[in-house]
Amino acid sequence: MKLSKNHSFHIVKREPPVWYIGLAIRAAAVILALIVSGVIITLLTDKNPIAIYASMIDGAFGMDIRIWSLFQDVAILLCISLAVTPAFKMKFWNCGAEGQVLIGGLATVAVMMFLGDKLPLPILLIIMIAASIIASIIWAVLPAIFKAYWNTNETLFTLMMNYVAIQFVSYFLKSFVKTGSGVLFPMPEFGLPVLFGKQYLLNIIIVAVMTVLVYIYLKYTKHGYEISVVGESENTANYIGINVKKVIIRTLVVSGALCGIAGLLLVGGTNHTINVETAGGRGFTAIMVSWLAKFNPIFMVFTSFLIVFLQKGASQVSTDFRIPQAISDIVTGIILFFIIGCEFFLNYKIVVTKSVKEEK
Amino acid sequence: MAKTAIELKNITKTFGSVVANRDVCLSVDHGEILSILGENGSGKTTLMNMISGIYFPDSGQIFIDGKETVIRSPKDAFDHKIGMIHQHFKLVDVFSATENIILGLKGKGKFNIKEATRKVEEISHKYGFDIDPNKKIHEMSVSEKQTVEIIKVLYRGADILILDEPTAVLTPQETQKLFAVLRRMRDDGKSIMIITHKLHEVLSLSDRVAVLRKGEYIGTVKTSETNETELTEMMVGKKISLNIHRSEPKNCEDRLCIEGINCLSREGVKLLDNVSFTAKSGEILGIAGIAGSGQRELLEAIAGLQHIDSGKIIYNNPKTKTQDNLRDKTPLQIRELGVRLSFVPEDRLGMGLVGNMGITDNMMLRSYRKGKTVFLNRKPPHDLAERIISELEVVTPNSETPVRRLSGGNVQKVLVGREISSSPTVLMAAYPVRGLDINSSYAIYNLLNDQKERGVAVIFVGEDLDVLLELCDRILVIGSGRVTGIVDARSATKEEIGLLMTKGKGDEE
């Protein structure tokens, strides 16, 4: 009898666990991740892992300025994550948040540059907001229209739009920066107002309000319900008479507008200038934030915080210990791997079975 | 000859907390046909999948020819001469019958197609199959495809054959043909296990019947020593009467007049060919036909989901006494016209309901637009959900549990419940009892009957001819997209309908 291929265990789907077991599994994942990355760090660099974790925390929370910068980055990432969420919930794979944010930022910077000294600040701000939102909506709605009417692949389309946005920014910098250096000096005098002397406070407040609004939009409005139905099944949507084309386009208008706000906050509220790196890959990181939070805007506060914390900590570690950034990226990767991987244990359990032979 | 070919002892298989099979023991002799009888979800297919190597039992033993055997993969099963014919065919459309049959076989050197074709013909001849080995699969009818699947298994030398609901897709005539072939195979010494939930088939074909109920093995009886009532009792666990109460239609008015509708697929194939009929209020119009003869397109055309190329769909509004053409209207426009049309589609979780949403949110599908604000009002759908749960006895933890976690019968109750809650004037139901156990099926029949008595024009697409004949007032038979006959359900016979089902095809060729 062949027993070489004996299954000693198999995988079985489980009922969703009660909340404290779910929490315990997630906590175990984080602890395991820290242990594994500790071992790897020691093996690769012979540095003390505890010191490295301490340095990570220091990098994120060490000083007032670091804490502010941490929350600012969380706010921007969260804002972009909120922007991609309605589209993702509809299963419209919008990979173009990067370009949508950038083009919104470009519109903002163009208004600052060309109208900054010609108009009073309040009017300038209104034009900035409008320009940024409209530019991002155009960027988001184009792929949506093509998807709705000709069923083109939105992933490719939105990715391509990213490159177009990047090229627009470099063209703008080459052609319109007077010094000819291609580097635009910040123009804080035309930026968004600073509240209580804290530069990032306004951004944080705006994003906090947006989080609540997006949560309400998705959960309690008719639009949000239509988004869920279209995302779950287009057949069902047609069956009950939802105009799927309209919902796709409308949702991407919302998505684009939120990206426009992110671009505005990033350029008008933070950098006061633009370059091709302004979005900095956040359009893609936002997808991860949104997925990790299972498209729930409130959970996204935590997931975006986690990711920004890891990034900040990692870069501090590489400075403190003069080790390549790559090592800290490895640590970030391991931690994310474990956090995502523990989802498996939330949905499945492993059952050890006795072999046929043993039973006799 | 009565030597045991395969024997199962105490086979148990669980999926999570669901017990699919518990301590199942059964055996099949050489030269015997054993029916595995049970309702949907009783674990028949799971059990057979363990014999054919797709699943592995949690515990228990399998003996083949008296020797304990471990079957870990479909290949192991083939090595033990076990072959399974699945409900869903696994064939390559652009290949011929022979090519499909030898696909995946290991052999030295080049394939000898001629030799293979000869062998296929030999098998066909031996058991009385009617097949052209060089015909491509995409040109074949469902029953021909099934024949290819059976020959494929025989070609590999199977002695133990398992057939999973083979008659579900066949007309009564084709079923008779298949049974003749199976009997010849039995006489040749093969062991055959056939999964079914149709009692008359069990009684006419098999030597013995093994009954499963909710994963439990109930027992095996000799077909010659049992009857329909006893088997039903074993299957369901209690005595139930299997009569459908059919009332005489009252106050019939023409409600929906379909006039010569035509519909082409994207490839230009005629899906509906000059279909005309009238659905009357207060009666149940049955639609019979081989699966895929245009039933789905017909209902979807009426519901505004399928574009039609010509023809009219006239709705006689009983309130306003106006006539409206529903052609090329979207479901929303139809609704706005005041047409109270309810539709229970074939694909419950993919079209009628959203699997990941709870009952409340699924109730809201039809009503969420109500109210002037941009916000949803969850109160009325929640009340409706609670009402349906209590009135139709839906088994669910609560009204927020995702409907995909409910059993098939409960899912269907939710869907039918929602559709009749809007007090429709036309109710269309496509295969509403597919996959349901007997009790749930009869609950659905009663709901349809109830709607009929309230003066609704009910259109019922069914697959079980016995049920159609018992439940409906008139039966429209559809074959290859055209109406091949409309018969009176009180006087028609199964054979008559079976002939009409295949008629459309014959005319075409």
Side-chain angles (χ1 to χ4, degrees), chain A residues 6 12 220 222 225-226 233 239, chain B residues 16 343 350 361 368 371 374 376:
Chain A
N6 219 336
V12 179
Y220 295 107
K222 291 174 183 171
Y225 183 70
E226 286 180 340
S233 158
Y239 163 79
Chain B
F343 178 27
D361 281 16
Y368 78 95
V374 296
L376 295 165

Side-chain angles (χ1 to χ4, degrees), chain B residues 28 86 88 127 138 158 194 204 213 226 233 344 390 461 490 503:
Chain B
V28 193
H86 293 271
H88 304 283
Y127 297 112
H138 64 87
I194 170 168
S204 76
R213 185 202 312 151
T226 185
E233 223 180 296
V344 178
S390 70
V461 177
R490 287 181 176 77
K503 204 170 136 200

Side-chain angles (χ1 to χ4, degrees), chain A residues 92-96 143 152-161:
Chain A
F92 182 101
W93 309 119
N94 178 11
C95 298
T152 52
N153 182 319
E154 74 275 16
T155 311
L156 286 175
F157 204 133
T158 49
L159 277 173
M160 293 303 170
M161 293 292 277

Side-chain angles (χ1 to χ4, degrees), chain B residues 6 17 26-27 29 44 54-55 88 101 112 136 176-177 212 287 293 300 307 311 321 334 344 403 448 469 471 481 483:
Chain B
I6 182 164
S17 54
L26 53 86
S27 68
D29 293 342
K44 296 168 299 199
I54 292 172
Y55 293 144
H88 304 283
I101 288 164
N112 188 341
K136 299 265 193 282
Q176 288 313 319
K177 235 159 122 189
L212 297 180
I287 296 184
S293 301
E300 290 188 359
H307 171 76
K321 304 289 174 204
I334 291 176
V344 178
V403 288
L448 294 180
L469 284 168
L471 177 70
V483 177

Side-chain angles (χ1 to χ4, degrees), chain A residues 156-235:
Chain A
L156 286 175
F157 204 133
T158 49
L159 277 173
M160 293 303 170
M161 293 292 277
N162 289 342
Y163 297 108
V164 179
I166 289 172
Q167 297 309 323
F168 263 131
V169 172
S170 25
Y171 170 78
F172 173 86
L173 293 174
K174 280 231 167 67
S175 314
F176 295 101
V177 174
K178 287 183 192 103
T179 57
S181 63
V183 177
L184 185 65
F185 281 108
M187 302 170 280
E189 64 276 23
F190 305 130
L192 298 179
V194 174
L195 293 186
F196 309 114
K198 303 283 184 200
Q199 203 209 331
Y200 301 138
L201 189 58
L202 181 68
N203 285 2
I204 293 167
I205 292 171
I206 289 174
V207 175
V209 172
M210 270 171 58
T211 309
V212 176
L213 289 181
V214 171
Y215 179 75
I216 292 171
Y217 180 74
L218 289 176
K219 192 146 185 213
Y220 295 107
T221 67
K222 291 174 183 171
H223 285 188
Y225 183 70
E226 286 180 340
I227 289 172
S228 310
V229 174
V230 172
E232 290 286 346
S233 158
E234 266 190 45
N235 272 335

